[in-house]
Amino acid sequence: MRLRHIEVFHAIMQAGSISGAAQVLHISQPAVTKVLQHAELQLGLPLFDRVKGKLVPTPEAQRLFVEVDKLNRDLIGIRRLAASLRAGESESLRVMATPALGASVLPAAMSAWAKAFPNNHCRLATHHTREIVSALLVGEADLGLSLQDPRHPGIKAEVLASGPLMALCPLGSPEAQAEGPLALAEIETELIAMAEDDPLGSQLMAGFEAAGLHPRSRFTVQTYQLARSLVEAGLGLSVVDPFTATAADRSRVRVRPLKPSAPVNLVLLSAANAPLPQVGRKLVKQIADATRASLATL
């Protein structure tokens, strides 16, 4: 039996008549009769006896209805799920981000997303890019956010926003007395450095070495959020990604772009063979919009 045959047969069995089935299905009575006749022809047996103008189910129809009723309930469930997915409701989303992006980029975007999708659940986690890639490849995450493109054949990478490296200068420092781009040679305040294995930190130190500069530094940190917090506490100057810089406390810190500086990207990571669900695509747009709005304040 075809799907339309099943729907019509089920409606007739429930309504007890052609006219009742037509009302349930919102189609004409001749259409119901035509589908029923086609179903009986395809099955090679009558499903109803016509007794005094009424339809009386045959024993075969009674047996068939038991299975058709189960299938109809499944079809209703499928339709409801399809409608829910189309509306982006009741989906669960798994998002991973590097620590810096988890603290700076996600909160504003998640606020907008939560209002747009009140029935959705989202599991958030922070990991380094290497762990994010592994989770995406084994299906343990739907999307990831990083400052770097891992250039992995199984990972799709897309730049959502971009900005320059930013210097966070404590307000009492010489560097905070001016505005505009800050050259490496102008840095006098003690540097809060990033760990040697950090890509941006190593890029910065390479810039100092190339210019023959040797900044003073007593503190080395693993995360940009900690670097920002130490600057806000007046313990030194630090150079961080632009997304972390947007969250700096302006009552304690002056934010200046570094020169020269290559752009730092906010990169969306996803499994190349697993397209994002609709609710995920909408979150990506909200992340991009919120991040660009934040960068505009720098």
Side-chain angles (χ1 to χ4, degrees), residues 2-15:
R2 296 178 180 176
L3 179 58
R4 195 56 172 165
H5 296 162
I6 292 171
E7 291 176 329
V8 168
F9 171 65
H10 189 270
I12 296 173
M13 290 292 290
Q14 285 196 316

Side-chain angles (χ1 to χ4, degrees), residues 191-207:
L191 182 70
I192 298 170
M194 299 303 301
E196 293 181 0
D197 59 351
D198 178 79
L200 297 186
S202 61
Q203 176 184 337
L204 177 65
M205 297 313 295

Side-chain angles (χ1 to χ4, degrees), residues 6-46:
I6 292 171
E7 291 176 329
V8 168
F9 171 65
H10 189 270
I12 296 173
M13 290 292 290
Q14 285 196 316
S17 66
I18 294 290
S19 60
Q23 291 179 356
V24 170
L25 297 172
H26 305 291
I27 60 176
S28 67
Q29 293 185 36
V32 173
T33 300
K34 183 177 180 180
V35 173
L36 175 60
Q37 291 172 344
H38 191 273
E40 291 178 321
L41 180 64
Q42 190 179 61
L43 287 171
L45 55 87

Side-chain angles (χ1 to χ4, degrees), residues 96-119:
M96 288 187 176
T98 57
L101 297 176
S104 61
V105 167
L106 280 182
M110 293 310 306
S111 177
W113 184 86
K115 292 177 183 177
F117 300 97
N119 298 321

Side-chain angles (χ1 to χ4, degrees), residues 53 74-75 85 96 137 145 181 238 250 252 259 265 276:
D74 289 341
L75 288 172
L85 293 174
M96 288 187 176
L137 292 175
L145 297 172
S238 191
R250 302 302 178 88
R252 300 180 180 183
K259 70 173 184 180
N265 297 325
L276 288 177

Side-chain angles (χ1 to χ4, degrees), residues 12-291:
I12 296 173
M13 290 292 290
Q14 285 196 316
S17 66
I18 294 290
S19 60
Q23 291 179 356
V24 170
L25 297 172
H26 305 291
I27 60 176
S28 67
Q29 293 185 36
V32 173
T33 300
K34 183 177 180 180
V35 173
L36 175 60
Q37 291 172 344
H38 191 273
E40 291 178 321
L41 180 64
Q42 190 179 61
L43 287 171
L45 55 87
L47 294 174
F48 298 91
D49 292 324
R50 281 71 174 173
V51 179
K52 296 181 181 180
K54 295 184 178 180
L55 294 180
V56 179
T58 63
E60 292 81 4
Q62 295 283 8
R63 293 179 61 187
L64 189 62
F65 180 71
V66 174
E67 298 303 321
V68 166
D69 191 48
K70 294 178 185 176
L71 179 59
N72 189 71
R73 288 196 296 270
D74 289 341
L75 288 172
I76 291 174
I78 291 171
R79 289 193 180 104
R80 286 175 178 168
L81 176 59
S84 174
L85 293 174
R86 186 166 55 250
E89 298 176 353
S90 302
E91 286 188 69
S92 179
L93 197 62
R94 301 162 301 172
V95 180
M96 288 187 176
T98 57
L101 297 176
S104 61
V105 167
L106 280 182
M110 293 310 306
S111 177
W113 184 86
K115 292 177 183 177
F117 300 97
N119 298 321
N120 289 90
H121 177 264
C122 187
R123 189 177 72 189
L124 302 171
T126 57
H127 292 282
H128 294 296
T129 302
R130 180 173 56 257
E131 286 79 17
I132 294 174
V133 168
S134 297
L136 290 169
L137 292 175
V138 299
E140 293 180 351
D142 297 306
L143 62 91
L145 297 172
S146 175
L147 295 177
Q148 28 180 324
D149 179 351
R151 302 190 182 280
H152 190 289
I155 297 296
K156 179 182 177 182
E158 177 186 349
V159 175
L160 299 181
S162 184
L165 281 172
M166 304 297 293
L168 302 184
C169 313
L171 284 188
S173 67
E175 296 84 0
Q177 307 312 308
E179 296 183 357
L182 176 66
L184 294 180
E186 296 172 335
I187 295 178
E188 302 176 21
T189 302
E190 187 170 305
L191 182 70
I192 298 170
M194 299 303 301
E196 293 181 0
D197 59 351
D198 178 79
L200 297 186
S202 61
Q203 176 184 337
L204 177 65
M205 297 313 295
F208 278 120
E209 291 178 8
L213 301 172
H214 304 283
R216 294 180 297 114
S217 179
R218 287 185 296 164
F219 296 101
T220 300
V221 298
Q222 291 284 343
T223 67
Y224 301 119
Q225 312 100 282
L226 181 53
R228 186 192 73 210
S229 297
L230 293 180
V231 174
E232 290 171 345
L235 293 174
L237 176 151
S238 191
V239 175
V240 300
D241 66 276
F243 316 107
T244 297
T246 61
D249 183 351
R250 302 302 178 88
S251 68
R252 300 180 180 183
V253 172
R254 183 177 296 282
V255 180
R256 299 179 61 184
L258 199 68
K259 70 173 184 180
S261 176
V264 181
N265 297 325
L266 168 61
V267 184
L268 168 68
L269 305 178
S270 59
N273 61 352
L276 288 177
Q278 176 175 281
V279 69
R281 294 195 297 272
K282 291 189 176 180
L283 174 58
V284 168
K285 184 179 185 305
Q286 286 161 333
I287 290 173
D289 291 345
T291 303

